[in-house]
Amino acid sequence: MDILNKVKQYREEENRLKWEGTFTEYLELLKERPEIAQTAHSRVYNMIKAAGIEKKDGRNDYRFFNEEIFGLEEAIERLVEEYFHPAAKRLDVRKRILLLMGPVSGGKSTIVTMLKRGLERYSRTDEGAVYAIKGCPMHEDPLHLIPQHLREDFYKEYGIRIEGSLSPLNTMRLEKEYGGKIEDVLIERIFFNEDRRVGIGTFSPSDPKSQDIADLTGSIDFSTIAEYGSESDPRAYRFDGELNKANRGMMEFQEMLKCDEKFLWHLLSLTQEGNFKAGRFALISADELIVAHTNEAEYRSFISNKKNEALHSRIIVMPIPYNLKVSQEERIYEKMIKESDMSHVHIAPHALRVAAIFSILTRLKPSKKQGIDPVKKMRLYDGESVEGFNQVDVDELKAEFPDEGMSGIDPRYVINRISSSIIRKETPSINALDVLRSIKDGLDQHPSISEEDKEKYLNYIAIARREFDEIAKKEVQKAFVYSYEESAKTLLENYLDNVEAFCNQNKLKDPLTGEEMNPDEKLMRSIEEQIGISENAKKAFREEILIRISAFARKGKRFDYYSHDRLREAIQKKLFADLKDVVKITTSSQTPDESQLKKINEVIARLIDDYGYNSTSANELLRYVGSLLNR
Ligand SMILES: Nc1ncnc2c1ncn2[C@@H]1O[C@H](COP(=O)(O)OP(=O)(O)OP(=O)(O)O)[C@@H](O)[C@H]1O
Ligand SMILES: [Mg+2]
């Protein structure tokens, strides 16, 4: 019943929000809340702003898009600040069609859909409320009722500029229904809703021969001509094209560049002059955001055609590249899987990460920077620290190819491959290797991958595989230790005590006997060797650690396992080195003895309870790591 209650609530809410009054009453409302007369572009911008703007690394992060769009912060920032914001201020960009350009499955439609659904919700809030002339199929702006010659006075009184003139239909209605008295015209609050065709429209071109301009601008209703006597009587016209219905809100223009020119010319006048021509009427004013999307190849061929020059200058192109961060790519896959019918399938930890590594590698361009390889670049882009590089380097890397992210593997391909590997495997449990294998098998069928790219992509699969090997080994070794974090911390403390004694030329006290001892050189070296610190360099390394510790202490912070990346790596490797033999023997034994069996079961239990595996994927992981360690 919960859902029915919600339906009821929604209906009640709708009734509560309803408003109807005369134009006189509307003007009173307007005095209190001038924002209700804002333009379509300004409403879109305010909606985005209302969701919140976070400052992140000196950039603006627009939270409106955060729930469904991942890793495109820069593109979104540009979209908002170079289009929506200036358009809201009635600057010239408002008169251009917004064209999102990017590679397939890069999130363009998702962005447009978010704007549409967002506007529907926003029009139900106080700040986003929209009012229109009652009974008008185009939900015409009530302020159009103010005659042209009084608009300057209106501006002085209300501070609002009115654009556009009263439509032929409402001009007639004003005369016939209200006897010319604008103060009596009924105004109502409207709620954007694409299903009910209020304020949100989608135009999708079909066969150019059969498609009629009526889909865009409405058409004559021949059945009523007899009644009204003439084709140019606006009452005999149905204002039900997408441009009509989207008035005050937005219209999505699908496949715009594939569309027949005659459709585009209507858009031109609409965007440029704020009006379009329908039937045998004077121009009809409309105020709406028009968004289209395209891919790069289509766009290039469009602008290379001289005939399109006029159109081109009336379009604002905003690039929407692929996401280039591994961790965000993982989130994209998670989202897509949740939305698909695969959500019941167990996907082993790291399977999506490995796929994401592959995808990102295909999208990155090779840098000419010293010491940078694709994997390092990938890590830096994802905000990981890579020794010898800092934020300045990341900025330089990004500046190297401003159009990076316009090519490579798309998220949908990966999701398709994951689902095909699910079909192939009988158990509903997929691991990283299944995913990589399926990605590899699919490359042959991918329509747009050249032989040269395929070669490269196979190499990226190999890299992703190597990354997975490391992750898998670490994971299993961790699971072998009863409490991995504890062990690591104990070893670290032990090391630090010894380093301190070494640098200060002190002795250590044996915790049990209280006896004085020399620092344990063997222990310290066994850790340092893990990250290649030579005998000659050990003193400098230990002193550096000590300096770090006191720097931390000065700031009142504790130096711990996470304070020093290289030391953490050394500790980790040392723990693993100690474990390696046990893991190797236990995981690869064909006939494990009783104690080995017990250990295996313990490890599997830990993988399931603490690391998110199921019993199939945990067993697969153990077997795989066993074979890796025996190579
Ligand atoms: N950066 C991203 N963040 C979140 N989801 C994304 C991102 N990029 C792609 N997706 C997901 O990938 C799928 C395809 O995206 P969408 O349909 O929006 O792409 P598109 O650019 O319109 O593609 P096309 O050119 O094929 O029309 C969607 O499920 C979308 O949610
Ligand atoms: Mg799309």
Side-chain angles (χ1 to χ4, degrees):
M1 286 313 268
D2 204 35
I3 189 69
L4 291 182
N5 272 331
K6 282 193 180 138
V7 171
K8 192 167 152 230
Q9 256 174 25
Y10 190 83
R11 207 168 42 232
E12 283 167 3
E13 167 89 353
E14 194 133 272
N15 284 329
R16 194 180 62 74
L17 291 177
K18 272 191 183 146
W19 185 93
E20 189 181 310
T22 59
F23 188 59
T24 314
E25 287 163 323
Y26 174 72
L27 287 181
E28 280 162 24
L29 206 61
L30 192 59
K31 271 234 156 100
E32 280 165 42
R33 295 165 46 206
E35 74 274 10
I36 61 177
Q38 66 189 319
T39 61
H41 285 85
S42 152
R43 190 171 284 105
V44 174
Y45 175 67
N46 283 325
M47 163 182 82
I48 294 170
K49 212 170 69 169
I53 306 169
E54 243 171 89
K55 280 265 173 225
K56 251 191 213 159
D57 315 325
R59 283 209 335 268
N60 287 323
D61 190 24
Y62 290 90
R63 291 190 24 209
F64 178 83
F65 296 97
N66 279 357
E67 240 162 70
E68 282 182 53
I69 289 289
F70 308 131
L72 296 188
E73 296 81 2
E74 281 155 55
I76 295 280
E77 183 182 41
R78 186 163 166 202
L79 174 63
V80 176
E81 293 176 7
E82 289 181 23
Y83 186 80
F84 290 123
H85 193 185
K89 290 185 160 164
R90 300 193 185 221
L91 293 178
D92 224 39
V93 288
R94 181 166 69 106
K95 298 185 172 167
R96 313 272 158 75
I97 296 167
L98 173 60
L99 179 63
L100 305 180
M101 179 192 61
V104 287
S105 296
K108 301 179 296 294
S109 297
T110 309
I111 291 174
V112 175
T113 308
M114 287 187 85
L115 290 171
K116 286 178 172 177
R117 298 294 89 82
L119 273 178
E120 291 175 348
R121 284 191 306 272
Y122 195 57
S123 71
R124 301 170 66 90
T125 66
D126 288 348
E127 305 76 43
V130 198
Y131 294 79
I133 295 177
K134 193 178 175 194
C136 170
M138 281 183 66
H139 350 281
E140 186 161 15
D141 184 350
L143 293 183
H144 285 179
L145 288 164
I146 306 268
Q148 294 286 353
H149 66 275
L150 294 179
R151 291 193 175 177
E152 205 44 48
D153 295 337
F154 180 83
Y155 177 68
K156 281 189 196 124
E157 200 178 334
Y158 287 81
I160 297 171
R161 286 238 178 264
I162 304 171
E163 283 172 38
S165 32
L166 196 63
S167 69
L169 179 65
N170 286 325
T171 306
M172 178 174 245
R173 286 178 65 207
L174 176 62
E175 285 314 313
K176 294 215 147 94
E177 293 172 29
Y178 298 101
K181 287 168 79 179
I182 64 168
E183 56 274 35
D184 292 347
V185 174
L186 286 178
I187 309 299
E188 64 176 350
R189 180 167 176 185
I190 57 165
F191 304 98
F192 288 158
N193 187 317
E194 182 159 23
D195 295 338
R196 295 187 201 157
R197 306 193 72 213
V198 181
I200 314 271
T202 305
F203 181 75
S204 177
S206 50
D207 178 10
K209 281 189 210 72
S210 64
Q211 189 161 37
D212 198 337
I213 198 80
D215 294 353
L216 211 50
T217 60
S219 59
I220 294 170
D221 184 350
F222 287 101
S223 67
T224 56
I225 293 181
E227 186 182 339
Y228 297 118
S230 144
E231 273 185 34
S232 54
D233 187 311
R235 289 169 302 178
Y237 194 86
R238 264 195 299 214
F239 295 90
D240 62 355
E242 292 304 320
L243 281 180
N244 307 116
K245 290 298 175 186
N247 186 26
R248 314 294 300 282
M250 66 180 276
M251 189 189 90
E252 173 184 4
F253 202 142
Q254 295 180 336
E255 309 285 358
M256 184 176 88
L257 302 185
K258 290 201 187 84
C259 199
D260 201 78
E261 281 171 12
K262 66 181 180 206
F263 296 95
L264 298 182
W265 289 109
H266 273 278
L267 288 190
L268 274 193
S269 106
L270 173 59
T271 48
Q272 199 66 19
E273 269 73 58
N275 52 38
F276 63 90
K277 185 92 180 125
R280 294 185 181 162
F281 307 117
L283 290 163
I284 296 174
S285 305
D287 168 32
E288 56 202 82
L289 160 70
I290 295 178
V291 194
H293 29 99
T294 180
N295 62 44
E296 199 171 5
E298 199 174 76
Y299 177 69
R300 299 257 168 262
S301 94
F302 174 79
I303 54 171
S304 67
N305 186 345
K306 269 258 178 263
K307 253 172 48 190
N308 293 326
E309 242 167 36
L311 262 173
H312 182 211
S313 69
R314 286 151 161 115
I315 291 174
I316 287 255
V317 182
M318 283 288 156
I320 305 292
Y322 284 139
N323 153 56
L324 297 175
K325 296 182 182 133
V326 174
S327 56
Q328 300 298 317
E329 190 71 8
E330 258 186 283
R331 290 182 69 197
I332 297 177
Y333 301 158
E334 277 163 16
K335 182 189 76 169
M336 291 172 81
I337 287 173
K338 218 188 288 159
E339 287 166 356
S340 74
D341 52 1
M342 299 188 268
S343 47
H344 64 285
V345 176
H346 170 75
I347 298 196
H350 314 299
L352 298 184
R353 180 166 192 87
V354 170
I357 289 174
F358 165 74
S359 301
I360 303 296
L361 286 171
T362 66
R363 297 172 191 170
L364 296 180
K365 299 205 168 156
S367 168
K368 289 183 198 68
K369 218 171 151 66
Q370 270 283 314
I372 281 284
D373 61 27
V375 173
K376 280 187 186 155
K377 180 167 173 175
M378 172 188 89
R379 295 226 158 92
L380 284 168
Y381 270 30
D382 203 13
E384 284 182 47
S385 61
V386 174
E387 208 176 325
F389 298 97
N390 56 27
Q391 188 54 45
V392 178
D393 297 303
V394 180
D395 295 341
E396 280 173 18
L397 282 175
K398 285 184 181 163
E400 219 176 347
F401 303 101
D403 61 341
E404 201 167 32
M406 284 301 192
S407 62
I409 285 287
D410 58 298
R412 216 178 267 134
Y413 172 75
V414 172
I415 293 300
N416 289 346
R417 295 318 300 167
I418 291 178
S419 67
S420 92
S421 76
I422 288 171
I423 290 162
R424 209 162 9 164
K425 219 173 154 185
E426 270 145 29
T427 43
S429 171
I430 295 298
N431 65 36
L433 296 174
D434 296 327
V435 172
L436 283 184
R437 199 176 306 120
S438 183
I439 287 178
K440 186 171 165 214
D441 294 346
L443 290 181
D444 288 329
Q445 301 150 25
H446 199 296
S448 59
I449 296 180
S450 65
E451 274 305 308
E452 193 194 337
D453 279 345
K454 201 179 139 194
E455 200 68 19
K456 270 194 261 166
Y457 289 3
L458 288 175
N459 181 36
Y460 295 143
I461 291 177
I463 296 179
R465 164 83 178 262
R466 281 202 292 279
E467 292 285 307
F468 175 66
D469 290 352
E470 286 312 306
I471 298 173
K473 275 193 275 187
K474 269 190 199 166
E475 188 113 299
V476 168
Q477 285 168 327
K478 266 187 180 178
F480 256 80
V481 188
Y482 167 63
S483 170
Y484 174 78
E485 291 270 299
E486 277 310 302
S487 314
K489 280 177 185 158
T490 313
L491 186 58
L492 174 79
E493 288 302 324
N494 203 347
Y495 175 76
L496 293 180
D497 286 344
N498 280 289
V499 163
E500 202 173 2
F502 170 87
C503 292
N504 298 335
Q505 291 171 349
N506 281 344
K507 299 243 180 224
L508 284 155
K509 258 203 185 104
D510 186 300
L512 282 181
T513 61
E515 231 176 292
E516 295 225 313
M517 315 178 295
N518 281 326
D520 186 346
E521 192 56 34
K522 212 169 134 210
L523 174 87
M524 287 187 286
R525 288 304 293 147
S526 71
I527 292 171
E528 290 153 3
E529 276 163 1
Q530 303 291 339
I531 47 170
I533 289 167
S534 68
E535 190 63 30
N536 289 334
K538 72 179 184 189
K539 189 155 178 279
F541 182 74
R542 293 173 190 174
E543 279 164 355
E544 187 225 310
I545 298 275
L546 219 57
I547 291 169
R548 283 279 196 101
I549 296 180
S550 61
F552 265 69
R554 254 205 320 279
K555 288 186 216 147
K557 285 200 285 183
R558 228 185 100 75
F559 184 93
D560 66 13
Y561 183 56
Y562 297 100
S563 307
H564 195 291
D565 289 345
R566 287 190 74 209
L567 186 53
R568 182 171 66 245
E569 189 190 337
I571 297 273
Q572 222 172 37
K573 284 191 169 157
K574 163 73 176 142
L575 275 178
F576 291 162
D578 293 350
L579 269 173
K580 193 170 172 182
D581 287 335
V582 188
V583 177
K584 190 165 149 180
I585 293 164
T586 319
T587 52
S588 56
S589 162
Q590 296 292 337
T591 49
D593 63 28
E594 204 174 309
S595 78
Q596 284 173 336
L597 212 53
K598 186 162 166 261
K599 189 76 201 171
I600 288 178
N601 287 334
E602 238 175 67
V603 169
I604 289 192
R606 213 166 285 138
L607 284 173
I608 295 173
D609 296 342
D610 302 342
Y611 293 87
Y613 289 80
N614 71 2
S615 84
T616 311
S617 64
N619 277 294
E620 285 168 347
L621 180 75
L622 272 194
R623 263 203 311 279
Y624 181 62
V625 170
S627 75
L628 276 182
L629 291 176
N630 274 305
R631 259 182 211 162

